[in-house]
Amino acid sequence: MFTAFLIKYAEIGVKGKNRYLFENALVQQIRYALKKCEGEFAVRKTDGRIYVDAVSEFDYEETVEHLQKVFGISGICPMIYVEDEGFEKLKETVVSYIDAVYPDKNRSFKVAARRARKNYPLNSMEINMELGGVILDAYPQMHVDVHKPDILLNVEIRDKVYLYSKVIPGPGGMPVGTGGKAMLLLSGGIDSPVAGWMIAKRGVKIDAVYFHAPPYTSERAKQKVVDLAARVAAYTGPVYLHVINFTEIQMYIYDKCPHDELTIIMRRYMMRIAERIARDTDCLGLITGESIGQVASQTMHSLMATDEVCELPVYRPLIGFDKMEIVDISEKIDTYETSIQPYEDCCTIFVARHPVTKPNLKIIRRHEQNLEEKIGELVQTALDTKELIIVR
Ligand code: ATP
Ligand code: MG
């Protein structure tokens, strides 16, 4: 029965000059999300509000599901437009609206009228009283509660009359594109997609880099990362995924450096390469799924060692999260099932049985000198042969 949606967004922080940027980005992200839905929609910005109007048949559930993935939306109000054919007609429509939307009548309600058009024959108070009266007459099980009603029926007198009462929660956050762009180090695990999602929620556009090590990591493992990027893209819009062939670099480190330092040194090269791609693609920072103490390469000492090699800020939104908390989010955002598919990860193949947990920076730097002869060339080749996959 609904034919439109009123989109609510938190207005804190979007006052003044930034407001139109915020709204335009939101409109753009909404249009993008709706492209994937059945039906045609018009998204319009009027009177400091954003509306989505269905201009054809559409699938209500699917549309709501997609809107719930647009960062910046705090609430989605399904709405109907009623032609202004007099107040008597409006009374009938309101009664049938309540019947259709609330089959269970055992609820309290309140009518909240608002007139954008002051030439309407009744004022807001009168509209509230009259419509409240007809609802009570039609459904004696219902009662009025002006403080905490179960149903807040909004009646807005505009060019047409807008009726809405339900508020479906949105994801909150800021529209993607209002906060610059960052490069996500995306592995096939549980953590990194969640980390990317969290930063994107603050309005940041996400590009991603995946370090692939064929033949040690399979095409299936790479496909899993593409699938995860697609899950993230459902919230953020297209993700540019850079796939780096990391095999030669990994083998070279394996040959030249102590095996218990392999993970740390490998991670330092991942960061260096990610930073180079980030700079070439106008990214303002890197994002990883690291959390203190989760594994040997994520102790405070190890994080210090990986952090040292890049100048761009490294955002680690999961830094203080327990695994269970991360799993909860990954289930909510629908990446969990993909993340737990059992394909090998390039880090797990070469890991030492007892990796260092307190790497000494001086020693790490000294051992990296063993790589001097060929590493520059290998990094350059990896960058030159990288594959770009645009994930939608
Ligand atoms: P995840 O669940 O995200 O894989 P993890 O707990 O397995 O994380 P690590 O393997 O130590 O942790 O990796 C830490 C972070 O480094 C990851 O969250 C990710 O951001 C990045 N990373 C690790 N491996 C890769 C890879 N092959 N390609 C891109 N980024 C990677
Ligand atoms: Mg991993």
Side-chain angles (χ1 to χ4, degrees), residues 185-193 209-211 267 270 287-290 294-295 297-298 323 345-347:
L185 282 84
L186 181 61
S187 68
I190 294 170
D191 307 326
S192 44
V209 55
Y210 167 57
F211 295 92
R267 296 201 44 72
M270 283 188 184
I287 306 166
T288 75
E290 289 160 316
Q294 200 187 79
V295 287
S297 59
Q298 298 177 27
K323 195 71 184 186
D345 172 13
C346 74
C347 305

mmCIF file of all heavy atoms in Angstrom, residues 185-193 209-211 267 270 287-290 294-295 297-298 323 345-347, ligand 1:
data_model
loop_
_atom_site.group_PDB
_atom_site.id
_atom_site.type_symbol
_atom_site.label_atom_id
_atom_site.label_comp_id
_atom_site.label_asym_id
_atom_site.label_seq_id
_atom_site.Cartn_x
_atom_site.Cartn_y
_atom_site.Cartn_z
ATOM 1 N N LEU A 185 42.942 -2.979 3.765
ATOM 2 C CA LEU A 185 43.661 -4.242 3.530
ATOM 3 C C LEU A 185 42.665 -5.357 3.812
ATOM 4 O O LEU A 185 42.319 -5.618 4.969
ATOM 5 C CB LEU A 185 44.891 -4.356 4.439
ATOM 6 C CG LEU A 185 46.111 -3.537 3.983
ATOM 7 C CD1 LEU A 185 46.006 -2.103 4.454
ATOM 8 C CD2 LEU A 185 47.410 -4.164 4.472
ATOM 9 N N LEU A 186 42.186 -5.947 2.732
ATOM 10 C CA LEU A 186 41.093 -6.907 2.844
ATOM 11 C C LEU A 186 41.611 -8.326 2.655
ATOM 12 O O LEU A 186 42.100 -8.685 1.585
ATOM 13 C CB LEU A 186 40.025 -6.587 1.783
ATOM 14 C CG LEU A 186 38.775 -7.467 1.753
ATOM 15 C CD1 LEU A 186 37.993 -7.384 3.054
ATOM 16 C CD2 LEU A 186 37.876 -7.077 0.576
ATOM 17 N N SER A 187 41.522 -9.112 3.722
ATOM 18 C CA SER A 187 41.910 -10.516 3.615
ATOM 19 C C SER A 187 40.611 -11.308 3.551
ATOM 20 O O SER A 187 39.536 -10.741 3.504
ATOM 21 C CB SER A 187 42.719 -10.917 4.833
ATOM 22 O OG SER A 187 41.897 -10.907 5.967
ATOM 23 N N GLY A 188 40.697 -12.599 3.594
ATOM 24 C CA GLY A 188 39.468 -13.390 3.546
ATOM 25 C C GLY A 188 38.898 -13.659 4.924
ATOM 26 O O GLY A 188 37.964 -14.446 5.066
ATOM 27 N N GLY A 189 39.433 -13.000 5.946
ATOM 28 C CA GLY A 189 39.029 -13.318 7.313
ATOM 29 C C GLY A 189 37.769 -12.607 7.761
ATOM 30 O O GLY A 189 37.058 -11.982 6.972
ATOM 31 N N ILE A 190 37.508 -12.700 9.049
ATOM 32 C CA ILE A 190 36.301 -12.110 9.622
ATOM 33 C C ILE A 190 36.494 -10.614 9.873
ATOM 34 O O ILE A 190 35.575 -9.816 9.716
ATOM 35 C CB ILE A 190 35.953 -12.816 10.961
ATOM 36 C CG1 ILE A 190 35.571 -14.273 10.690
ATOM 37 C CG2 ILE A 190 34.824 -12.096 11.691
ATOM 38 C CD1 ILE A 190 35.456 -15.125 11.956
ATOM 39 N N ASP A 191 37.710 -10.252 10.234
ATOM 40 C CA ASP A 191 37.934 -8.912 10.778
ATOM 41 C C ASP A 191 37.960 -7.782 9.745
ATOM 42 O O ASP A 191 37.324 -6.744 9.947
ATOM 43 C CB ASP A 191 39.249 -8.889 11.564
ATOM 44 C CG ASP A 191 39.293 -9.993 12.611
ATOM 45 O OD1 ASP A 191 38.239 -10.311 13.175
ATOM 46 O OD2 ASP A 191 40.387 -10.528 12.858
ATOM 47 N N SER A 192 38.717 -7.987 8.682
ATOM 48 C CA SER A 192 38.919 -6.843 7.791
ATOM 49 C C SER A 192 37.639 -6.331 7.110
ATOM 50 O O SER A 192 37.484 -5.105 7.000
ATOM 51 C CB SER A 192 40.039 -7.111 6.783
ATOM 52 O OG SER A 192 39.955 -8.380 6.228
ATOM 53 N N PRO A 193 36.696 -7.193 6.692
ATOM 54 C CA PRO A 193 35.467 -6.614 6.127
ATOM 55 C C PRO A 193 34.703 -5.776 7.154
ATOM 56 O O PRO A 193 34.131 -4.733 6.807
ATOM 57 C CB PRO A 193 34.633 -7.833 5.711
ATOM 58 C CG PRO A 193 35.527 -9.017 5.780
ATOM 59 C CD PRO A 193 36.692 -8.676 6.638
ATOM 60 N N VAL A 209 42.750 -3.584 -1.039
ATOM 61 C CA VAL A 209 43.874 -4.323 -1.618
ATOM 62 C C VAL A 209 43.923 -5.703 -0.977
ATOM 63 O O VAL A 209 43.717 -5.851 0.233
ATOM 64 C CB VAL A 209 45.213 -3.552 -1.454
ATOM 65 C CG1 VAL A 209 45.496 -3.184 -0.012
ATOM 66 C CG2 VAL A 209 46.391 -4.369 -2.017
ATOM 67 N N TYR A 210 44.142 -6.703 -1.833
ATOM 68 C CA TYR A 210 44.249 -8.090 -1.360
ATOM 69 C C TYR A 210 45.578 -8.665 -1.833
ATOM 70 O O TYR A 210 45.921 -8.543 -3.013
ATOM 71 C CB TYR A 210 43.086 -8.916 -1.912
ATOM 72 C CG TYR A 210 43.272 -10.410 -1.756
ATOM 73 C CD1 TYR A 210 43.494 -10.981 -0.496
ATOM 74 C CD2 TYR A 210 43.226 -11.255 -2.863
ATOM 75 C CE1 TYR A 210 43.675 -12.355 -0.357
ATOM 76 C CE2 TYR A 210 43.402 -12.628 -2.728
ATOM 77 C CZ TYR A 210 43.631 -13.172 -1.471
ATOM 78 O OH TYR A 210 43.820 -14.525 -1.335
ATOM 79 N N PHE A 211 46.324 -9.266 -0.919
ATOM 80 C CA PHE A 211 47.595 -9.893 -1.267
ATOM 81 C C PHE A 211 47.366 -11.379 -1.492
ATOM 82 O O PHE A 211 46.992 -12.108 -0.575
ATOM 83 C CB PHE A 211 48.633 -9.637 -0.152
ATOM 84 C CG PHE A 211 48.963 -8.182 -0.022
ATOM 85 C CD1 PHE A 211 48.259 -7.363 0.863
ATOM 86 C CD2 PHE A 211 49.950 -7.603 -0.810
ATOM 87 C CE1 PHE A 211 48.532 -6.009 0.959
ATOM 88 C CE2 PHE A 211 50.230 -6.245 -0.721
ATOM 89 C CZ PHE A 211 49.515 -5.443 0.167
ATOM 90 N N ARG A 267 54.167 -8.438 6.824
ATOM 91 C CA ARG A 267 53.144 -7.430 7.075
ATOM 92 C C ARG A 267 53.688 -6.033 6.815
ATOM 93 O O ARG A 267 52.969 -5.159 6.353
ATOM 94 C CB ARG A 267 52.588 -7.556 8.490
ATOM 95 C CG ARG A 267 51.850 -8.896 8.700
ATOM 96 C CD ARG A 267 50.890 -8.885 9.845
ATOM 97 N NE ARG A 267 50.085 -7.661 9.857
ATOM 98 C CZ ARG A 267 49.113 -7.399 8.990
ATOM 99 N NH1 ARG A 267 48.788 -8.276 8.068
ATOM 100 N NH2 ARG A 267 48.467 -6.268 9.061
ATOM 101 N N MET A 270 53.387 -5.592 3.179
ATOM 102 C CA MET A 270 51.975 -5.350 2.814
ATOM 103 C C MET A 270 51.620 -3.875 3.031
ATOM 104 O O MET A 270 50.983 -3.246 2.185
ATOM 105 C CB MET A 270 51.046 -6.197 3.680
ATOM 106 C CG MET A 270 50.953 -7.651 3.294
ATOM 107 S SD MET A 270 49.632 -8.407 4.283
ATOM 108 C CE MET A 270 49.763 -10.109 3.771
ATOM 109 N N ILE A 287 43.284 1.055 6.216
ATOM 110 C CA ILE A 287 42.412 0.432 7.229
ATOM 111 C C ILE A 287 42.798 -1.034 7.355
ATOM 112 O O ILE A 287 42.950 -1.719 6.344
ATOM 113 C CB ILE A 287 40.925 0.487 6.799
ATOM 114 C CG1 ILE A 287 40.488 1.910 6.459
ATOM 115 C CG2 ILE A 287 40.030 -0.112 7.881
ATOM 116 C CD1 ILE A 287 39.156 1.976 5.718
ATOM 117 N N THR A 288 42.941 -1.508 8.575
ATOM 118 C CA THR A 288 43.165 -2.944 8.780
ATOM 119 C C THR A 288 42.173 -3.467 9.821
ATOM 120 O O THR A 288 41.555 -2.701 10.556
ATOM 121 C CB THR A 288 44.586 -3.272 9.283
ATOM 122 O OG1 THR A 288 44.667 -2.918 10.665
ATOM 123 C CG2 THR A 288 45.654 -2.544 8.503
ATOM 124 N N GLY A 289 42.078 -4.782 9.889
ATOM 125 C CA GLY A 289 41.168 -5.428 10.849
ATOM 126 C C GLY A 289 41.892 -5.854 12.116
ATOM 127 O O GLY A 289 41.436 -6.772 12.785
ATOM 128 N N GLU A 290 42.988 -5.190 12.449
ATOM 129 C CA GLU A 290 43.763 -5.625 13.609
ATOM 130 C C GLU A 290 43.089 -5.257 14.941
ATOM 131 O O GLU A 290 42.391 -4.258 15.035
ATOM 132 C CB GLU A 290 45.160 -4.987 13.547
ATOM 133 C CG GLU A 290 46.007 -5.590 12.439
ATOM 134 C CD GLU A 290 47.165 -4.690 12.021
ATOM 135 O OE1 GLU A 290 46.956 -3.481 11.862
ATOM 136 O OE2 GLU A 290 48.270 -5.211 11.865
ATOM 137 N N GLN A 294 45.237 -10.130 19.338
ATOM 138 C CA GLN A 294 44.489 -11.240 18.735
ATOM 139 C C GLN A 294 45.403 -12.367 18.263
ATOM 140 O O GLN A 294 45.110 -13.533 18.444
ATOM 141 C CB GLN A 294 43.638 -10.721 17.573
ATOM 142 C CG GLN A 294 42.518 -11.664 17.219
ATOM 143 C CD GLN A 294 41.787 -11.217 15.970
ATOM 144 O OE1 GLN A 294 42.244 -11.412 14.855
ATOM 145 N NE2 GLN A 294 40.627 -10.607 16.164
ATOM 146 N N VAL A 295 46.498 -11.987 17.625
ATOM 147 C CA VAL A 295 47.523 -12.966 17.211
ATOM 148 C C VAL A 295 48.887 -12.312 17.426
ATOM 149 O O VAL A 295 48.971 -11.120 17.751
ATOM 150 C CB VAL A 295 47.368 -13.370 15.711
ATOM 151 C CG1 VAL A 295 46.167 -14.269 15.496
ATOM 152 C CG2 VAL A 295 47.288 -12.140 14.825
ATOM 153 N N SER A 297 51.068 -11.202 15.501
ATOM 154 C CA SER A 297 51.391 -10.007 14.717
ATOM 155 C C SER A 297 50.538 -8.805 15.125
ATOM 156 O O SER A 297 50.594 -7.762 14.501
ATOM 157 C CB SER A 297 51.206 -10.300 13.232
ATOM 158 O OG SER A 297 49.878 -10.688 12.999
ATOM 159 N N GLN A 298 49.754 -8.975 16.177
ATOM 160 C CA GLN A 298 48.911 -7.855 16.620
ATOM 161 C C GLN A 298 49.126 -7.476 18.084
ATOM 162 O O GLN A 298 48.250 -6.899 18.719
ATOM 163 C CB GLN A 298 47.433 -8.177 16.349
ATOM 164 C CG GLN A 298 47.170 -8.368 14.842
ATOM 165 C CD GLN A 298 45.748 -8.750 14.511
ATOM 166 O OE1 GLN A 298 44.830 -8.431 15.249
ATOM 167 N NE2 GLN A 298 45.564 -9.433 13.410
ATOM 168 N N LYS A 323 36.991 -10.807 19.853
ATOM 169 C CA LYS A 323 36.563 -11.541 18.654
ATOM 170 C C LYS A 323 35.036 -11.680 18.588
ATOM 171 O O LYS A 323 34.429 -11.496 17.535
ATOM 172 C CB LYS A 323 37.218 -12.935 18.634
ATOM 173 C CG LYS A 323 37.137 -13.622 17.285
ATOM 174 C CD LYS A 323 38.062 -12.954 16.279
ATOM 175 C CE LYS A 323 37.959 -13.546 14.892
ATOM 176 N NZ LYS A 323 38.977 -12.979 13.986
ATOM 177 N N ASP A 345 44.860 -18.773 3.606
ATOM 178 C CA ASP A 345 45.219 -17.359 3.611
ATOM 179 C C ASP A 345 46.731 -17.294 3.386
ATOM 180 O O ASP A 345 47.459 -18.172 3.833
ATOM 181 C CB ASP A 345 44.813 -16.819 4.999
ATOM 182 C CG ASP A 345 45.283 -15.416 5.250
ATOM 183 O OD1 ASP A 345 45.702 -14.757 4.292
ATOM 184 O OD2 ASP A 345 45.226 -14.988 6.417
ATOM 185 N N CYS A 346 47.185 -16.284 2.682
ATOM 186 C CA CYS A 346 48.613 -16.263 2.344
ATOM 187 C C CYS A 346 49.497 -16.189 3.592
ATOM 188 O O CYS A 346 50.615 -16.673 3.601
ATOM 189 C CB CYS A 346 48.935 -15.127 1.390
ATOM 190 S SG CYS A 346 48.926 -13.514 2.146
ATOM 191 N N CYS A 347 48.964 -15.616 4.666
ATOM 192 C CA CYS A 347 49.779 -15.506 5.877
ATOM 193 C C CYS A 347 49.921 -16.847 6.586
ATOM 194 O O CYS A 347 50.913 -17.112 7.244
ATOM 195 C CB CYS A 347 49.155 -14.540 6.864
ATOM 196 S SG CYS A 347 48.873 -12.956 6.147
HETATM 197 P P1 ATP B 1 41.216 -11.028 9.172
HETATM 198 O O1 ATP B 1 40.154 -11.773 9.886
HETATM 199 O O2 ATP B 1 40.786 -9.683 8.712
HETATM 200 O O3 ATP B 1 41.868 -11.859 8.111
HETATM 201 P P2 ATP B 1 43.238 -11.808 11.007
HETATM 202 O O4 ATP B 1 42.791 -11.880 12.396
HETATM 203 O O5 ATP B 1 43.360 -13.049 10.207
HETATM 204 O O6 ATP B 1 42.337 -10.747 10.253
HETATM 205 P P3 ATP B 1 45.965 -11.092 10.278
HETATM 206 O O7 ATP B 1 46.069 -12.208 9.316
HETATM 207 O O8 ATP B 1 47.026 -10.857 11.275
HETATM 208 O O9 ATP B 1 44.615 -11.064 11.099
HETATM 209 O O10 ATP B 1 45.821 -9.786 9.484
HETATM 210 C C1 ATP B 1 45.630 -8.565 10.112
HETATM 211 C C2 ATP B 1 45.109 -7.575 9.082
HETATM 212 O O11 ATP B 1 46.023 -7.469 7.996
HETATM 213 C C3 ATP B 1 43.809 -8.025 8.468
HETATM 214 O O12 ATP B 1 42.693 -7.635 9.225
HETATM 215 C C4 ATP B 1 43.859 -7.312 7.129
HETATM 216 O O13 ATP B 1 43.482 -5.963 7.268
HETATM 217 C C5 ATP B 1 45.335 -7.383 6.776
HETATM 218 N N1 ATP B 1 45.661 -8.569 5.950
HETATM 219 C C6 ATP B 1 46.095 -9.777 6.359
HETATM 220 N N2 ATP B 1 46.270 -10.613 5.320
HETATM 221 C C7 ATP B 1 45.945 -9.915 4.209
HETATM 222 C C8 ATP B 1 45.922 -10.216 2.803
HETATM 223 N N3 ATP B 1 46.257 -11.412 2.335
HETATM 224 N N4 ATP B 1 45.538 -9.238 1.964
HETATM 225 C C9 ATP B 1 45.180 -8.027 2.429
HETATM 226 N N5 ATP B 1 45.184 -7.687 3.721
HETATM 227 C C10 ATP B 1 45.565 -8.613 4.606
#
